[in-house]
Amino acid sequence: MTDKLTKQDAPVRRTDVPMVKAEGVHKSFGQVEVLKGIDLEVRPGEVFCLIGPSGSGKSTFLRCINHLEKINAGRLYVDGELVGYRQQGDKLYELRDREVAMKRRDIGMVFQRFNLFPHMTAVENVMEAPVQVKGARRADAHHRAMSLLERVGLADRAGHYPSQLSGGQQQRVAIARALAMDPKLMLFDEPTSALDPELVGDVLDVMRDLAESGMTMVVVTHEMGFAREVGDSLVFMDEGVVVESGRPRDVLTNPQHERTQSFLSKVL
């Protein structure tokens, strides 16, 4: 991979405003309460890892950050602005779909499944959103897409369709596609969980490169090695609450809560 960035190259942003701030976030599906009052902050430039058992609410919380899921109570902010709502006085008013979509452009998301357009080549997948959403000229979008594919090590696969790519390659194209919108925040929902073990490393290398460039990242992951090596903060969630949080090495090597200890004993 080439075109690596350093934190010095990253855009200068205010560091006194959290990139993500959750205050008492609740989310229910019918009678099932999935998030039971989440409070946390993600600083600009931070790699923030979420771990925990399946069903603990990690992925739901991630989807709430870009309003793919609507919260039922609490407040959720991205870069100082309410997610999905505007406040007048003490009342919240939900934004129109168009307004939500405009704000969502600043948040990149990479899913477990790659969700690439099967009828488009790798470079066309990466070009699509800048052209359709931002109105970029196709020539400019193509140049940018090729640069991003080179960054994730896939410039030589630009003309390949998803069906001609391995799972790891498809996931790297998905990351390039998210980066094409120049997001200020990247969300990763277990990006390696659907991959064969031998393909995981290439995707994690791309994520390490992003971390080194200063990208703010919230990562739901089962890759404890990545969390330990790359993460700045780590939260262990279970049954919709934050059980324990701290520096990744501290939480992973010396967990204080019995539930965290039990979970880590099974995955480490």
Side-chain angles (χ1 to χ4, degrees), residues 95-167:
L95 299 178
R96 297 185 181 92
D97 290 345
R98 183 183 180 89
E99 295 173 294
V100 172
M102 287 288 289
K103 291 182 178 294
R104 195 178 283 145
R105 298 191 311 180
D106 293 329
I107 305 173
M109 187 160 185
V110 178
F111 300 88
Q112 297 179 36
R113 295 292 176 178
F114 326 118
N115 296 336
L116 299 178
F117 296 115
H119 62 289
M120 293 183 179
T121 63
V123 70
E124 289 169 343
N125 266 280
V126 178
M127 291 171 56
E128 182 70 3
V131 170
Q132 297 299 330
V133 179
K134 286 190 169 183
R137 293 174 59 245
R138 292 195 67 84
D140 294 338
H142 185 274
H143 178 76
R144 170 72 168 149
M146 288 301 300
S147 176
L148 288 168
L149 287 174
E150 183 176 6
R151 185 177 180 188
V152 300
L154 290 174
D156 61 336
R157 298 290 192 274
H160 288 55
Y161 290 92
S163 62
Q164 299 171 308
L165 302 173
S166 71

Side-chain angles (χ1 to χ4, degrees), residues 5 9 39 43 55 69 102 109 117-118 137 140 162 182 190 194 210 214 219-220 240 263:
L5 300 177
D9 298 319
D39 296 289
R43 300 187 306 274
E69 298 289 354
M102 287 288 289
M109 187 160 185
F117 296 115
R137 293 174 59 245
D140 294 338
D182 296 313
E190 299 188 22
L210 284 180
V219 185
V220 173
F263 173 77

Side-chain angles (χ1 to χ4, degrees), residues 15-256:
T15 57
D16 58 332
V17 176
M19 183 58 74
V20 179
K21 184 175 183 178
E23 298 178 341
V25 170
H26 288 254
K27 172 64 182 176
S28 297
F29 295 101
Q31 299 299 311
V32 180
E33 191 175 22
V34 179
L35 300 177
K36 304 174 183 177
I38 301 296
D39 296 289
L40 57 80
E41 289 188 6
V42 181
R43 300 187 306 274
E46 185 175 25
V47 179
F48 193 97
C49 296
L50 294 167
I51 66 170
S54 297
S56 60
K58 310 181 301 297
S59 294
T60 297
F61 177 70
L62 206 68
R63 292 171 64 87
C64 289
I65 293 176
N66 64 358
H67 207 57
L68 287 176
E69 298 289 354
K70 301 175 185 179
I71 65 176
N72 299 118
R75 297 286 192 277
L76 191 52
Y77 301 86
V78 170
D79 205 14
E81 296 187 5
L82 275 170
V83 173
Y85 300 89
R86 57 183 171 84
Q87 185 165 347
Q88 287 187 338
D90 59 353
K91 291 188 176 180
L92 289 181
Y93 298 89
E94 188 168 3
L95 299 178
R96 297 185 181 92
D97 290 345
R98 183 183 180 89
E99 295 173 294
V100 172
M102 287 288 289
K103 291 182 178 294
R104 195 178 283 145
R105 298 191 311 180
D106 293 329
I107 305 173
M109 187 160 185
V110 178
F111 300 88
Q112 297 179 36
R113 295 292 176 178
F114 326 118
N115 296 336
L116 299 178
F117 296 115
H119 62 289
M120 293 183 179
T121 63
V123 70
E124 289 169 343
N125 266 280
V126 178
M127 291 171 56
E128 182 70 3
V131 170
Q132 297 299 330
V133 179
K134 286 190 169 183
R137 293 174 59 245
R138 292 195 67 84
D140 294 338
H142 185 274
H143 178 76
R144 170 72 168 149
M146 288 301 300
S147 176
L148 288 168
L149 287 174
E150 183 176 6
R151 185 177 180 188
V152 300
L154 290 174
D156 61 336
R157 298 290 192 274
H160 288 55
Y161 290 92
S163 62
Q164 299 171 308
L165 302 173
S166 71
Q169 290 170 337
Q170 290 185 60
Q171 192 63 292
R172 284 186 279 158
V173 173
I175 294 172
R177 180 179 60 179
L179 293 174
M181 292 294 285
D182 296 313
K184 56 188 173 185
L185 170 66
M186 284 285 287
L187 310 176
F188 292 88
D189 187 7
E190 299 188 22
T192 61
S193 65
L195 303 179
D196 292 333
E198 66 269 22
L199 303 177
V200 168
D202 289 339
V203 173
L204 294 181
D205 285 343
V206 171
M207 294 172 65
R208 287 188 182 93
D209 176 43
L210 284 180
E212 290 172 5
S213 76
M215 175 64 73
T216 310
M217 301 162 60
V218 182
V219 185
V220 173
T221 185
H222 291 300
E223 300 290 340
M224 300 302 163
F226 174 86
R228 182 187 296 109
E229 297 164 20
V230 183
D232 298 299
S233 297
L234 184 143
V235 158
F236 171 67
M237 288 180 62
D238 189 32
E239 296 185 350
V241 299
V242 173
V243 176
E244 190 165 344
S245 62
R247 295 173 56 192
R249 288 183 181 273
D250 294 339
V251 175
L252 294 175
T253 59
N254 189 28
Q256 299 300 301

